[in-house]
Structures are given as structure tokens and as C-alpha cells.
Amino acid sequence: MQFEAILFDLDGVICYTDEYHYQAWKAVADEIGAPFDRTINNRLRGVSRMESLAIILEGYIGPELSEEERLRLAERKNSLYRVLLQQMQPSDLPENVRETLQRLRGTGIRMAIGSSSKNTPFILESIGLGDFFDAVADGNCITRSKPDPEVFLKAAEMLGVPAENCLVVEDAVSGAEAGHRAGMKVACLGDAAAHGAGDWNMKDIQELLEIVTEV
Ligand code: BG6
Ligand code: MG
């Protein structure tokens, strides 16, 4: 079977904004005295902003936070994150990613984004991919974040491609689960690959070219 479409996660797959998420959450966690490190950060991959905060607050010892205070913390994280995003430019699209996307374009395969992030349009624009993808499903058009399959089902629907003909590319364990729950095959990178969460666990995104031609 030949894949008709590839659905890419954004943060940690197309660009390294996952590091900016970490830095912004680390600043907020330090401000409230909640423990936060790279291991906890890996649990935030693919997970929505408010759910990420809930995970960080698991280690928080202090007075119960109202919904309003939680919203304020999430907004604080987002404004710190947005400051870091301001520095992004087309050169922040890694060369191996740019080359892979270009070569995949040559195969005629459809390509979409499936991300939990509400900042997706801004990031794609900043790195020069504003018009590249055939569809963009993101945090602005879903009600449940990964590991729920909603974002990938939405991306497949936008493309008009059956779920079983889609390949998901993910760096998050939650995202790999979302892809599988959508009935899709999953190729992993980074943390998800280290956990063996994919049908393929890659060291470099360039391996995608072999995967889509070998199946
Ligand atoms: C995902 C990230 O892509 O987007 C998560 O992996 C993040 O870490 C989520 O929490 C939501 O992002 P945003 O930009 O809407 O706060
Ligand atoms: Mg990711």
C-alpha cells in the first residue's frame, strides 16, 4: 500500500519550538516554585496548553489555584513563549526538514500539519511554510488534544484522504497514540522514537523518503 498523505506534527518535528515551550514553562514553574525538568517536559509534548499546566501543577505544593489563576498562568506561559517565537525566521527551518519536504513534494504525496498548538499559523508563517501544506489542522480547530485522534482525523478529512492511507510523523508519545487511535501508521522521532512508540522509529526525518517508497 502506498501512503496518500503524510500528517506532520509541528513542534519538535518541523522545527525546534519544543525547546521554547520548555523554556517558557520552566520560567512559569520556577515563578510558582513547582518542580519542572526535561523528564516532566516530555509529558507535555502534544498536550494542550491547559493540560500541560495541569501536569506541571501535579508537583505544586501551595494554596489551591482558582480557574482564573490557572488561566493567568497559561497566558503568562504563552506570552513568554510568543517572545521566544518572535526570533523565528526561515533559517529556523532545519535543512534536513526543508530537503525532506521538498523531496516529498516531488513524489506527489499530500502533506498536512496535525498540531495541538494554537500558535501553528504564526510559526508556519515565521519559518516560511505559510503556504506549503495542503491542509493545516491545529489547536484552533479541535476540542480534544493528543492522545485523542481528533487533530489527525480532521487533517485527513481536510485532505479527503482515508485515515488508513495516512502516515503520521510525531515526536510525542501522546501524538503516536493519537495517530494509532486514528487508524494511521506512525513514524516517530525524538522522545517518541526513544520510547519505540512508532511503527518506524527514526533517527532523522530524511528516513521518511525510504518509508514512503518501501511500503
Ligand atoms: C503542542 C506541543 O504542539 O502544542 C505542546 O507539543 C503544547 O507542548 C501544545 O502544549 C499547545 O501549544 P500552544 O502553542 O497552543 O500553547
Ligand atoms: Mg511535537
Side-chain angles (χ1 to χ4, degrees):
M1 185 201 78
Q2 199 73 36
F3 289 115
E4 275 184 76
I6 306 182
L7 313 181
F8 292 90
D9 171 50
L10 178 66
D11 298 317
V13 166
I14 297 292
C15 52
Y16 301 128
T17 36
D18 52 335
E19 177 61 24
Y20 295 156
H21 278 295
Y22 168 76
Q23 288 176 20
W25 278 127
K26 175 75 180 141
V28 170
D30 286 352
E31 279 169 21
I32 60 170
F36 188 63
D37 58 18
R38 301 233 172 224
T39 308
I40 301 172
N41 183 60
N42 281 335
R43 291 177 57 205
L44 313 186
R45 292 178 187 274
V47 173
S48 74
R49 203 178 301 162
M50 288 307 286
E51 287 167 299
S52 296
L53 177 64
I55 291 171
I56 289 169
L57 291 178
E58 283 173 13
Y60 166 75
I61 305 163
E64 181 74 19
L65 296 173
S66 66
E67 189 55 23
E68 204 189 330
E69 285 165 324
R70 285 170 186 251
L71 281 170
R72 206 152 29 79
L73 287 174
E75 271 164 32
R76 166 108 182 103
K77 181 266 173 175
N78 195 49
S79 59
L80 293 170
Y81 179 57
R82 294 282 300 204
V83 169
L84 295 168
L85 288 184
Q86 294 298 333
Q87 56 186 287
M88 290 200 84
Q89 43 187 313
S91 59
D92 287 305
L93 177 63
E95 201 41 49
N96 58 337
V97 177
R98 181 193 306 280
E99 214 182 288
T100 302
L101 292 176
Q102 269 163 5
R103 291 177 65 190
L104 287 169
R105 181 57 92 214
T107 69
I109 204 159
R110 316 282 306 282
M111 287 181 274
I113 290 287
S115 167
S116 301
S117 174
K118 294 184 171 167
N119 290 296
T120 296
F122 180 78
I123 296 168
L124 289 177
E125 205 56 56
S126 307
I127 57 177
L129 291 181
D131 295 324
F132 181 83
F133 291 97
D134 302 304
V136 175
D138 65 22
N140 301 295
C141 60
I142 54 167
T143 53
R144 297 175 304 276
S145 79
K146 302 165 187 177
D148 190 282
E150 186 180 7
V151 79
F152 291 128
L153 291 172
K154 184 134 278 178
E157 186 191 316
M158 286 174 172
L159 294 174
V161 174
E164 62 269 26
N165 295 349
C166 294
L167 174 66
V168 163
V169 187
E170 264 294 346
D171 72 313
V173 172
S174 67
E177 184 182 334
H180 283 138
R181 281 168 63 183
M184 301 170 181
K185 288 274 190 275
V186 181
C188 286
L189 285 163
D191 186 58
H195 281 85
D199 300 288
W200 295 270
N201 295 292
M202 307 182 287
K203 287 200 166 57
D204 191 294
I205 197 167
Q206 307 208 30
E207 292 169 44
L208 272 182
L209 286 149
E210 291 154 40
I211 294 170
V212 298
T213 46
E214 92 190 2
V215 184

